[in-house]
Every structure is written in C-alpha cells, then in structure tokens.
Amino acid sequence: MLSLQSPVNHIAGVGPSRERDLARLGIFTVQDLITYYPFRYDDRTVQSGQTLGHDTRVTVQAIVQAPPAVRHKGRRSTMTVQVKTHDGMSMTAVWFNRLFLRDKLRPGSSITITGKYDARRRSLVVSQYEFGSHDTSVHSNRLVPIYEVRGELTPKVLRAILTKALKQVESQIPEILPHSLLAKYKLIPKRDALAQIHLPKDAESLRQARRRLVFEEFFLFQLKLQAFRHLHKHDRPGVAHSFTKEQWAGFLKMMPFELTPGQKRAVRDILLDMRAPQPMNRLLQGDVGSGKTIIAFCAMFAAYLSGYQSAMMVPTEILAEQHYDSASELLGRLGVRIGLLTGSSKESVRKEMLDKLGKGELDIVIGTHALLEDGVEFSNLSLVVTDEQHRFGVEQRSIFRQKGHHPDVLFMSATPIPRTLAMTLFGDLDVSVLDQMPAGRKPIRTHWVTSDKENQVIRFLRKELAKGRQAYIVAPLIEESEKMEGVENAVDLYNRLKDSLAGFQIGLMHGRLSSRDKEDVMRKFKANEIQALVATTVIEVGVNVPNATVMVIYNADRFGLAQLHQLRGRVGRGEHSSICILIADPVSETGRERMQAMVATQNGFVLAEKDLELRGPGEFFGIRQSGMPEFKLGDLVTDANIMKAGREEAQQLMASGDFWILPEYRELVEYLKREKLLKAPIQD
Ligand code: ADP
Ligand code: MG
C-alpha cells in the first residue's frame, strides 16, 4: 500500500527514468509529489461549438469527419482535419508538424481539442488534444493543472502519476490545523485542498484550496519564527552589560555631531536591550545615509565599557576598511583596540589577529565573511553587529551567534524592507527605525534620460568635475558580453570616458579586481586623486565619499529599484547638492514606471513597496539573496493579508502556552517537535 512516505518508484508507472526526472524536481516521496503544485491552470472546459469567440482559446469535443489532408513545406507539415463538434458545428482542425497523429485521426474517432479559434475561417489551430470524449478526464474538459517538468517528463505524465498517487493516499493526509482555526477562517480541510489544487472543480474551488494551503504555509512559517523567538528569549541567558553614566557622557562628548532624535531613540533601544540579561535580537532599519554606522559604534563602545568584545560583519572588504578607519578615528582615541579581518588579510596578520582575539587583547574586530570561518575564536564576545544584513543568510547569522555564548545581535539594513517583507524576514526581531536624515542634507535631484542624451550627460559631468566635485559612473557589466548586447560595461566605458573626460583622473572598479587594487582605487577616490570612478555595483553599499555629488547609472532599467536607490545613496552625503542621472531606454510600461518612480520619490520605503508591486518579491533584491524565505504557494505581495492573519494566530498560540495538551493541536505539536521547536519533554 502506498503511504505518504513511500518513495515515488512505488507508484505504478514510475520506473527508473521517471524516478530520475522526478528527483530533478526535488520529488522523492509521495508526500513531495502531492505537494508539488501546478504553476498555472489551463481552462480546457469543453464549450458549445455554436458560441465560440473569434480569436480566443477554446476547447471543443468533436468527431473526425474525414481522413486528414497533409501539406508539406520543407520539413514542416500542416495537417487539416474536418471535424464536427458534439453539438453539430463543422470546423477544420489544424495541426502543425504532428504527422504521427495521421493514423489515429480516423473518421468517426472522438477527440477533445484545445486551441486558437478563427471564427471567419471556422478553423481551430490545435495546441492540446486528447482522444476520446473523457468527460471526467484529468487532462481535458476542466481547469487543467500545468506543472513545471524536467527531462522526459511531460505535464501530462506528471498529472497522471500525481492524481493516481493522490487518490491512493488521500485518506492518510493529516489535518495539521486545529478545527478552531479552520472554522474561524472558513478554511477547507487539507485533504480537499490538496485534491482541489491539483484537480479543481472550478475557479472558486481552486481559490479556496489555494487559500487554505497558503494559510497553512504562512502560519507554520510564523509559528516557527515565534517558537524560535520564544526559545531564544527565555531559555538562554545572555550578557547584561553595565557601565556608568559618566563613562557614557564622556563618550557622547567625543562625537563629531549631535545625534538626530531618531538616532537617540535607536541608541536608547539598543542600550536597554544590552543592559538586559536576555540576548538582544534587534534590527536597525534606516534609509541610505540615515547614519546607522555611528549607532553601531555606540553599541560596540557600550560592550567595550562593560568589558566585552564585539564584532562587526559587513558584506564587502571596502566597507570593512571604511568602517575600520572611522572606528579607529572615533573609538581608537578612547583606547579601544580595534582589528580588521578580511579574506585578503595576510596570513601573518590574520594569525596575530586571531591570537589577540582569543586572548582578549582586541576589543573590536571588523570584517567580512572571514569572521565566520573556523578558527575565529573570541575570548568574551558579547555583541555582534551586521551591516547591510539582508546579504547574510539565516544560517550565517546563527553561526555567528554560536561564536559568543549568546551574544547580543544588532542587524542593520539600509534596504528599506517593506512592512510585509520585514514581518516575514525578521519576524523574530525587534525593530528600530531611523526615519529622518541628519540635518543639513540636501535632497538628491534625480533625472531620467534616454541613451541618445549621453553626450549631454558627459558635458554635465565635465562641468561638475571642473567645479571640484567627484562622480560615480555605474555600468551593469564588467566587460563586453555577447549574451547581453547593448548593455554597457565598465571596461569600455572607462576607456571611452578617459577620452571624453580628458584632464581628469578616471578610476575603474569592479568585482574582479584584486582586493588590493580595489582598496587602492577607493583610497585614491576618497583622497580626490581620482575624480570620476567608473564602477559596477560593487560600490552599491555603504561607501561614503561626501565630495562625490554625481551618480550616473547606465542601463538603469536593468537594476532593481532598491538597488538604484542604494546607488543613488552614494551621493548627497556632503554640503554640496547632488544629482543622480539614470540613463535608460526601457521597452516595457513597467520599465518606464520604475524609472518614473525613481525620479518621483527619494523615500526608500515608498520605492521598496513600488518595487515589490512591480517586480514581485523574488526579484526584490535584484538577485535572489540568501535569507529570503521562499514559499511553495504563498505570494508575499498578493497574500499579504493571509501572512498577517497567520502571524497573529501564531503569536496568540505561542503566548497561550498550554495548547499542546489539547487534542486538536496534536498534529501541530508533532510538527513542532519534528522541527525541534518545542522544548520537549512534552507528556503524550
Ligand atoms: P548609513 O545609514 O547609510 O550607513 P552612515 O552611517 O554612513 O549612513 O552616515 C552617512 C553620513 O552621515 C556619514 O558621513 C556620517 O558621518 C553622517 N552622519 C551620521 N549621523 C549624523 C548626524 N547626526 N549629524 C550629522 N551627520 C551625521
Ligand atoms: Mg552604512
């Protein structure tokens, strides 16, 4: 007998080759198979032959009237067949390159065909066909599920295997949601939902099936987050930092500027968390340029005053070096011992650094992913800060957590994450938001021009450079690529601009330079030895050169809005007014809308919402970044309200505390145990 855990080769009709193709889709067991959802549905409901719309996709049931007529043209063939629909309408069915059907299309045979209908010619170009008049077929006369397939597998074969297996195990599918939730949200039982998602009776049944399954998906996800949060908060004692008011006041005096009210609030939140014995788990969100770095330094200084070590992890070496320099300037003077550790640190330097860290002779270490490696041991780590944190996956976060006993963790993100996403990504975090810019910032003017205006842009660049300002010029690619013709690349652009901006120093920066070269270029740009820096998006995050006032972005439509906003945030950091010029020739309406959105708003949150709306969450970060949960069925944008409900229910459940003794929660409790999210031992 087939069970949910049975391997797929136990299903009749699945041999080694199909097993292999299924494995490529991540389907190994019956359970995997029945939760492999269609990505769309074709409406192949049989229509009356009398009412077919011109130039629409239709499905009819018909009887073949005469043998097919075939015409050849080179290796192509066109086959036309006279048919009559079940309600007596004559038409011509047309197949392209399907000669093998010739013998099967005998007069009198019955067939269901789907395709584009031309009412004037009374002809139907067939894209799907099914022999026989299967009123109850899984392949026709209904909403037909379409699956993504690999190898030899066709959607049709998958459909057949899946529906067969589903029938056999249907009665074994457990109901994981308690009745109270099903009733409250009017959700259909899991069994029905699975049956209907694969073979929907009609559009409404499909909607209900999807709603039920998405709810479960989101609810379990939120439950995990909440359960994790509970474990984290209550079970693990962290460090209760402590220091005197005087010590802190002395530090405040050293600050190069007065903190904004938002920064003050964030620092207060953080210090409160750090003083408490539970580990801090906080996200600091603030738009590009809102001044997050100084807040990290405050937190690290508080750890130092309390006698502990802290670590700051950032996504790029350039950023690590920049933070190292500013930290040394501010905190170094106060006696804090700071180290820098990146992938390109020399072995001897690295050794010495690790040695000092282990002995407690360094108070702060700033670095890249290199900090996550084995062998990086601290003597008493109590605080971890990650900058631009969405670039770190969940696993990396937890490695870091293990390096200290239960260190306080501060995540900083400049990517203004829309509320719906933040809830999902960081549901286990407390959040502080910097909602205003430091005083005196001038807004960045943004212009969108088409590529035929490039010369004007370059003339403008010359003028700005002549005034003593500096510029970033960004291209999507490093070098010319055959695959992406017409897309600007940094190397060519650099060579061109050396001519057209003659008289100024031009620099080139991209991900393939050695980190020493990168460092060198960046140092020169900071020192204004280079006036115009041609770069790829390596300069996207964190780089701070206040004298740079022009940002030119080629093929701007190739970037995500969040990414463009990040790039734009590289300018507008000093006393001079800044400008961002987007060069783009978008072909789609969406592309134009995105450029217009960039021009219209400087608010990262508004842009992020727009980006999410226009492109969907998968593409939100430009490339799929790690740390972003992926859902089988649920969509963070269109199902946002389901996520909200799932979260509320998960919160309530975890807060109630004694649900696991109630019988209706049995399956749910089993699930939490499997996921190791409940502190066993729980009495059965
Ligand atoms: P981000 O939030 O993007 O990391 P930074 O921390 O790099 O921003 O800060 C951007 C710039 O603003 C830096 O030059 C920083 O010194 C400056 N800055 C930060 N806070 C203030 C403030 N309260 N007043 C004036 N300038 C500030
Ligand atoms: Mg920053």
Side-chain angles (χ1 to χ4, degrees):
M1 203 186 82
L2 215 54
S3 79
L4 290 169
Q5 277 69 45
S6 303
V8 283
N9 63 12
H10 286 195
I11 304 168
V14 178
S17 127
R18 282 181 182 166
E19 188 183 1
R20 221 173 312 119
D21 288 340
L22 287 170
R24 287 174 66 190
L25 295 168
I27 301 172
F28 301 95
T29 64
V30 171
Q31 165 90 25
D32 297 338
L33 182 64
I34 63 173
T35 53
Y36 186 74
Y37 302 121
F39 69 92
R40 67 177 171 85
Y41 300 82
D42 263 1
D43 189 354
R44 297 187 200 155
T45 311
V46 170
Q47 286 157 274
S48 151
Q50 311 297 335
T51 58
L52 300 178
H54 173 64
D55 208 24
T56 54
R57 212 180 125 86
V58 303
T59 297
V60 295
Q61 218 163 289
I63 307 285
V64 176
Q65 304 294 305
V70 179
R71 264 180 306 140
H72 291 278
K73 194 173 184 190
R75 294 173 58 195
R76 294 161 187 277
S77 68
T78 306
M79 185 160 65
T80 52
V81 184
Q82 295 309 315
V83 301
K84 191 178 252 177
T85 65
H86 69 291
D87 53 351
M89 158 107 161
S90 295
M91 63 171 78
T92 310
V94 183
W95 272 269
F96 293 116
N97 309 319
R98 290 287 180 280
L99 273 186
F100 57 89
L101 289 177
R102 192 179 195 164
D103 295 337
K104 292 179 96 178
L105 290 165
R106 277 186 298 265
S109 53
S110 160
I111 188 166
T112 306
I113 47 182
T114 298
K116 199 63 141 331
Y117 182 65
D118 184 327
R120 287 179 212 125
R121 297 182 177 175
R122 287 203 176 184
S123 71
L124 192 158
V125 175
V126 180
S127 58
Q128 310 287 338
Y129 57 87
E130 171 91 352
F131 284 96
S133 58
H134 310 223
D135 287 323
T136 55
S137 163
V138 298
H139 306 297
S140 63
N141 194 13
R142 61 171 318 122
L143 280 178
V144 177
I146 310 293
Y147 301 88
E148 198 185 308
V149 286
R150 296 274 157 78
E152 310 274 278
L153 216 53
T154 61
K156 197 164 173 174
V157 169
L158 183 62
R159 204 146 55 221
I161 299 171
L162 199 157
T163 42
K164 193 161 23 166
L166 185 58
K167 271 229 172 62
Q168 291 179 51
V169 297
E170 212 163 0
S171 64
Q172 304 167 38
I173 297 169
E175 181 58 73
I176 198 167
L177 297 182
H179 302 303
S180 50
L181 274 188
L182 295 182
K184 179 168 174 188
Y185 293 98
K186 301 198 169 56
L187 299 170
I188 63 174
K190 172 100 168 228
R191 274 169 214 177
D192 300 351
L194 280 174
Q196 291 298 319
I197 197 95
H198 291 296
L199 285 179
K201 202 165 79 226
D202 50 35
E204 177 56 20
S205 315
L206 174 59
R207 203 180 72 82
Q208 292 304 337
R210 221 191 139 268
R211 202 173 138 260
R212 148 70 209 224
L213 294 171
V214 170
F215 185 93
E216 178 175 318
E217 192 172 30
F218 284 176
F219 173 68
L220 293 183
F221 175 77
Q222 289 293 346
L223 199 61
K224 264 194 196 170
L225 282 182
Q226 298 294 330
F228 183 77
R229 185 184 182 135
H230 269 248
L231 279 181
H232 203 66
K233 272 236 150 110
H234 303 301
D235 290 359
R236 307 185 187 180
V239 170
H241 293 87
S242 78
F243 44 88
T244 66
K245 273 211 173 81
E246 289 71 36
Q247 284 174 307
W248 192 255
F251 171 56
L252 280 185
K253 270 204 215 100
M254 300 291 297
M255 275 207 213
F257 38 65
E258 160 109 8
L259 294 181
T260 64
Q263 284 173 318
K264 285 184 183 154
R265 233 177 304 130
V267 170
R268 205 175 313 132
D269 289 346
I270 290 165
L271 293 186
L272 274 176
D273 284 359
M274 287 180 69
R275 285 168 180 276
Q278 299 87 6
M280 167 167 77
N281 206 19
R282 184 171 287 278
L283 170 69
L284 174 62
Q285 238 190 358
D287 209 343
V288 190
S290 60
K292 294 181 295 295
T293 317
I294 188 79
I295 294 176
F297 292 170
C298 287
M300 295 198 287
F301 191 68
Y304 160 79
L305 286 180
S306 313
Y308 290 93
Q309 291 174 305
S310 52
M312 182 177 195
M313 184 161 79
V314 301
T316 66
E317 296 195 358
I318 297 176
L319 201 52
E321 281 145 20
Q322 179 180 293
H323 284 338
Y324 173 76
D325 290 344
S326 356
S328 302
E329 198 174 309
L330 178 68
L331 305 176
R333 277 189 294 169
L334 298 164
V336 185
R337 297 160 299 178
I338 307 169
L340 173 68
L341 188 68
T342 68
S344 59
S345 299
K346 273 210 224 80
E347 191 48 36
S348 56
V349 175
R350 185 185 136 86
K351 268 223 175 83
E352 192 192 327
M353 192 85 63
L354 295 187
D355 189 51
K356 282 185 172 170
L357 266 184
K359 286 191 189 141
E361 290 168 11
L362 272 183
D363 305 306
I364 289 179
V365 63
I366 298 178
T368 56
H369 281 82
L371 290 174
L372 292 170
E373 285 162 16
D374 287 341
V376 182
E377 303 286 346
F378 296 84
S379 91
N380 61 350
L381 179 70
S382 75
L383 171 70
V384 173
V385 181
T386 70
D387 195 7
E388 314 299 347
Q389 86 92 29
H390 66 266
R391 289 168 175 254
F392 295 109
V394 177
E395 284 151 48
Q396 291 169 319
R397 289 196 237 160
S398 75
I399 293 182
F400 227 130
R401 279 191 181 125
Q402 288 151 20
K403 291 207 185 257
H405 280 293
H406 300 296
D408 285 343
V409 182
L410 176 64
F411 305 106
M412 305 203 294
S413 181
T415 306
I417 297 147
R419 228 182 51 78
T420 43
L421 263 188
M423 202 165 77
T424 332
L425 289 168
F426 308 119
D428 58 336
L429 300 183
D430 298 309
V431 181
S432 298
V433 179
L434 296 183
D435 48 8
Q436 70 228 119
M437 292 288 168
R441 280 287 160 75
K442 301 222 172 67
I444 306 163
R445 280 169 300 143
T446 303
H447 294 279
W448 164 33
V449 301
T450 45
S451 56
D452 54 328
K453 302 280 183 344
E454 188 186 359
N455 284 335
Q456 275 159 265
V457 173
I458 289 172
R459 269 204 300 281
F460 174 78
L461 264 174
R462 287 197 70 90
K463 234 174 56 198
E464 284 298 295
L465 299 189
K467 280 195 230 159
R469 302 288 82 74
Q470 288 167 277
Y472 298 96
I473 299 139
V474 175
L477 301 176
I478 298 178
E479 284 164 321
E480 190 173 350
S481 155
E482 281 171 24
K483 290 203 196 98
M484 293 198 242
E485 255 174 80
V487 178
E488 195 57 73
N489 71 84
V491 173
D492 282 354
L493 189 58
Y494 168 71
N495 289 324
R496 274 199 342 257
L497 289 178
K498 268 205 298 203
D499 289 338
S500 48
L501 295 176
F504 300 102
Q505 288 301 314
I506 316 295
L508 174 65
M509 166 84 98
H510 57 68
R512 267 193 237 138
L513 294 183
S514 74
S515 36
R516 257 193 66 197
D517 289 348
K518 272 191 252 177
E519 208 180 302
D520 196 48
V521 173
M522 209 57 222
R523 214 195 50 244
K524 285 186 176 150
F525 189 60
K526 272 191 176 174
N528 201 359
E529 289 163 28
I530 287 174
Q531 284 80 49
L533 182 60
V534 179
T536 57
T537 53
V538 288
I539 52 140
E540 176 189 350
V541 283
V543 177
N544 194 26
V545 180
N547 190 45
T549 56
V550 186
M551 167 65 67
V552 180
I553 305 172
Y554 278 78
N555 300 105
D557 52 329
R558 301 194 65 89
F559 299 99
L561 286 186
Q563 213 174 6
L564 288 174
H565 183 65
Q566 285 282 334
L567 286 168
R568 175 167 65 183
R570 297 306 111 217
V571 297
R573 298 180 151 248
E575 51 185 307
H576 304 285
S577 61
S578 294
I579 185 165
C580 171
I581 303 171
L582 308 170
I583 305 181
D585 311 297
V587 284
S588 68
E589 187 49 42
T590 311
R592 281 187 288 274
E593 260 187 70
R594 293 173 60 239
M595 293 303 107
Q596 281 153 0
M598 280 297 296
V599 172
T601 180
Q602 283 224 33
N603 182 322
F605 280 84
V606 174
L607 280 175
E609 297 282 358
K610 188 85 192 168
D611 211 10
L612 201 56
E613 177 194 316
L614 293 176
R615 312 213 312 171
E619 285 191 84
F620 176 65
F621 293 125
I623 27 168
R624 276 178 187 272
Q625 299 279 3
S626 53
M628 175 81 187
E630 284 186 36
F631 295 100
K632 268 189 159 170
L633 213 52
D635 180 308
L636 289 170
V637 181
T638 53
D639 301 319
N641 57 345
I642 303 185
M643 180 64 91
K644 191 158 162 266
R647 178 170 163 84
E648 277 161 20
E649 295 301 332
Q651 261 167 345
Q652 265 181 34
L653 194 64
M654 289 315 287
S656 78
D658 59 353
F659 64 91
W660 58 73
I661 49 178
L662 301 174
E664 70 162 334
Y665 290 99
R666 211 185 62 216
E667 286 297 334
L668 202 55
V669 169
E670 286 302 317
Y671 167 81
L672 287 171
K673 280 200 225 163
R674 276 199 301 278
E675 298 281 321
K676 302 201 172 38
L677 286 169
L678 269 189
K679 308 174 282 179
I682 289 168
Q683 309 288 317
D684 278 311

